[in-house]
Amino acid sequence: MERAELESIMKNIEHQEHSSILGGMQQEYEELEQMGYIKINWNESVLSAVITPEGRAFVASLYK
């Protein structure tokens, strides 16, 4: 995933309580989960993600 795409997705997730995983984006979200930035709720019929403390720190670093 390119840096600009990573930043865009993380900023979007950070501004929401949780983010639905849009069609065709599951791979990117899984990559973010592997990086520790989000947690995917696999128990829902429509997958969603929440930002982790590590993800919040990453987004905060973008604004410095």
Side-chain angles (χ1 to χ4, degrees), residues 10-28:
M10 289 302 298
K11 286 178 181 177
N12 184 42
I13 294 171
E14 196 242 352
H15 284 83
Q16 302 174 19
E17 188 170 320
H18 69 279
S19 176
S20 296
I21 298 175
L22 304 174
M25 296 288 293
Q26 185 170 335
Q27 182 177 351
E28 287 84 351

Side-chain angles (χ1 to χ4, degrees), residues 10-19 32 35-39 49-64:
M10 289 302 298
K11 286 178 181 177
N12 184 42
I13 294 171
E14 196 242 352
H15 284 83
Q16 302 174 19
E17 188 170 320
H18 69 279
S19 176
L32 292 172
M35 296 169 78
Y37 292 161
I38 65 169
K39 175 68 178 135
V50 295
I51 195 165
T52 64
E54 293 84 2
R56 289 193 190 284
F58 172 77
V59 173
S61 74
L62 300 176
Y63 296 108
K64 292 183 178 180

